[in-house]
Amino acid sequence: MEQKTLNSNKTVSLVLGSGGARGLAHIGVIKWLEENNYRIKSISGCSIGSLIGGVYAAGKLNQLEKWMRAITKLDIVTLLDFSWGNSGGVFKGDKIIKTLVDLLEDIQIEDLPIPYTAVAADIVTEKEVWINSGSLFNAIRASVSLPLFFTPIPYKDSVLIDGGVLNPVPIAPVFHDDTDLTIAVNLGGALIKEPEESKTSQELTEGLNLQESIRKFMQNFDKKSKDETIKKWGMYDVADKAFDTMQSTIARLKIAAYPPDIEIEIARNACGTLEFDRAEELIQLGYDKASQMLK
């Protein structure tokens, strides 16, 4: 109770970073802030951070949390809509967004009660794109377009992919806010002791022809490899680890350029990119990390 009195009504600019399922920790951070009387006055997010931040700004985070806590591996598989042909990504991502719109309803960003910016990356101009108007879920869809995984999104004269490619912790959009604190949640934190090996890529796509083809291809390649570490990884695993490594490095540079008042770090190996079925654990992780850093 004493801590609540000290921090009563502090205003916050909240920055929610990129990192797949680790972004469920954002929900825990927000819950802790609200319980301890911090007032979130603006939000900037990219990738999963754009989703959690946008839904919170729309006042629908409780509904999203309930849905996330109930999701299973099979549910995740059913939400992955294959994009056949030369489309720039394995999955279209339309089914996920439609499911979320049906659950939460869309809204124009201009109508949100909290200023909000979704950050994406334009692969034509190689620049960040800050989206702070138009359809909330169109902005989210652009910001979550993980390269190779989801198809890129046309936007005005741009072609947009995951904002984490250029700015996985987008502090710049809120850097000049008139708030008491800027709090950034970095999902690319230092590695922790390796947890039980994630089976995400195998379990989520078990039985799917695409995954079986990739596995067979990798088995042929692996016969030529003498490195046991490489042998146990598939194409998805290498791409996933490479993207996380890249984002972690860029995040350190961005945070050095735009230092927040508080940085909350989530280890980049806290879970696999697609392990959304671990919502309860990850939400609690975010809650606990916020408590540690802000107390």
Side-chain angles (χ1 to χ4, degrees), residues 66-199:
K66 182 179 179 181
W67 182 72
M68 287 289 194
R69 285 183 182 273
I71 205 167
T72 66
K73 287 183 173 66
L74 180 59
D75 293 329
I76 299 169
V77 172
T78 62
L79 290 171
L80 297 177
D81 46 354
F82 280 101
S83 177
W84 305 108
N86 187 22
S87 56
V90 176
F91 302 104
K92 291 184 288 186
D94 296 343
K95 193 171 183 180
I96 293 175
I97 295 300
K98 184 181 184 306
T99 300
L100 290 171
V101 169
D102 290 344
L103 177 70
L104 305 169
E105 298 182 353
D106 201 2
I107 187 173
Q108 296 296 296
I109 294 174
E110 302 94 309
D111 296 332
L112 293 172
I114 299 174
Y116 164 83
T117 302
V119 176
D122 182 359
I123 57 175
V124 176
T125 63
E126 301 177 1
K127 294 179 179 180
E128 289 179 38
V129 175
W130 296 359
I131 307 175
N132 46 32
S133 63
S135 160
L136 173 62
F137 279 99
N138 283 350
I140 291 169
R141 174 62 186 88
S143 186
V144 302
S145 299
L146 184 67
L148 300 181
F149 194 81
F150 286 129
T151 56
I153 294 296
Y155 176 79
K156 298 181 180 179
D157 296 326
S158 305
V159 178
L160 302 184
I161 58 173
D162 194 309
V165 169
L166 293 178
N167 195 351
V169 189
I171 299 170
V174 302
F175 196 67
H176 297 293
D177 283 358
D178 183 21
T179 52
D180 297 319
L181 292 172
T182 297
I183 299 175
V185 186
N186 177 10
L187 304 179
L191 297 171
I192 55 173
K193 183 179 179 182
E194 192 70 29
E196 183 180 349
E197 184 176 355
S198 170
K199 299 179 181 178

Side-chain angles (χ1 to χ4, degrees), residues 11-15 39 41-43 174 177 179 181-184:
T11 57
V12 171
S13 296
L14 185 61
V15 181
R39 292 188 296 128
K41 301 294 287 183
S42 69
I43 296 172
V174 302
D177 283 358
T179 52
L181 292 172
T182 297
I183 299 175

Side-chain angles (χ1 to χ4, degrees), residues 29 35 50 95-96 104 137 141 180 206 210 222 229 234 273 283-285 293:
V29 171
E35 287 179 13
S50 72
K95 193 171 183 180
I96 293 175
L104 305 169
F137 279 99
R141 174 62 186 88
D180 297 319
E206 188 174 3
L210 175 65
D222 289 343
T229 300
T273 300
I283 291 169
Q284 187 63 47
L285 175 62
M293 292 304 300

